[in-house]
Amino acid sequence: MASNATAWATRLRPTHETARWALLVVNAELLVLWLWFVTAQPQFDSLLGARYVLYPFVWINVGLWALWRTTPAPAPPRRRYLAGALATGYFLLLASVGGLVGPATHHAVAPNLALGTPPGFSPAVLYDGSLLKLTVIPYKLVGYLALTYLVYATIIDAAGSAITGVLGLFSCISCTWPIVAALVTGTIGGGAAIASAVYAGGYDLSVAVFVVTVGLLYWRPTA
């Protein structure tokens, strides 16, 4: 038990190099946020409402930290290829459910950068072609790539886990809730009140579940 606790503490404790890079990244993010506040001069209903501006950086920073600290174990090429294929499918599923990729709506939007929204939400890449539609939001892209890499490492280290895969899917709970609500109303009914409650707090839940999922995927191989 003590050795496991020590191993967890070691993995959690940042190295000097990690701390230096984290300081640089956070300072750069604060500067970007300050510039956005000065130029956009946003208005918030309350101080609590301003948390939505910070949430993208939670995704980005937690995702970058996980990518920086995760090193997949050595494995035979066959296992690495299999893990890569499964992780790619996992990313495509997240990207589809999370709204990054979808079927074309035939509005013929040429590739362009959407600016003006808070940092982390922008600059977003928008495209609507003949086959598919792209809405690439920076914080989601970083978060989903981090989850994908962690899934890849987990498959190699621990032969994968259905639970962590499901939790990764629910890192976009506000996007996947319509599916869950349909299943719930099909069994117990009365889903309208539940749906409205989750939509109201969907973004908060999305951030919380993303952080929990990253933690589970990061520590599971040694747990």
Side-chain angles (χ1 to χ4, degrees), residues 22 24-34 56-57 60-61 64 119:
L24 288 173
V25 169
V26 170
N27 283 335
E29 291 170 347
L30 289 174
L31 176 60
V32 169
L33 271 176
W34 178 78
F57 293 104
I60 292 171
N61 292 343
L64 291 178

Side-chain angles (χ1 to χ4, degrees), residues 31-116:
L31 176 60
V32 169
L33 271 176
W34 178 78
L35 291 173
W36 178 74
F37 271 100
V38 169
T39 56
Q41 297 184 345
Q43 301 294 322
F44 299 104
D45 295 335
S46 64
L47 185 61
L48 188 62
R51 72 188 187 278
Y52 296 114
V53 176
L54 301 177
Y55 279 166
F57 293 104
V58 175
W59 280 66
I60 292 171
N61 292 343
V62 170
L64 291 178
W65 175 82
L67 289 171
W68 180 272
R69 298 276 292 184
T70 300
T71 302
R78 182 176 179 179
R79 176 179 284 189
R80 287 189 283 110
Y81 297 149
L82 176 61
L86 292 175
T88 299
Y90 180 82
F91 174 78
L92 293 175
L93 179 61
L94 283 177
S96 177
V97 175
L100 300 187
V101 180
T105 58
H106 306 295
H107 290 306
V109 176
N112 67 93
L113 288 178
L115 303 173

Side-chain angles (χ1 to χ4, degrees), residues 72-160:
R78 182 176 179 179
R79 176 179 284 189
R80 287 189 283 110
Y81 297 149
L82 176 61
L86 292 175
T88 299
Y90 180 82
F91 174 78
L92 293 175
L93 179 61
L94 283 177
S96 177
V97 175
L100 300 187
V101 180
T105 58
H106 306 295
H107 290 306
V109 176
N112 67 93
L113 288 178
L115 303 173
T117 53
F121 292 96
S122 67
V125 177
L126 306 179
Y127 169 73
D128 196 350
S130 58
L131 296 177
L132 55 81
K133 177 182 179 181
L134 300 178
T135 308
V136 182
I137 303 172
Y139 84 87
K140 280 192 176 183
L141 179 62
V142 173
Y144 290 166
L145 286 175
L147 286 174
T148 300
Y149 189 66
L150 288 169
V151 166
Y152 171 78
T154 301
I155 293 171
I156 290 179
D157 289 352

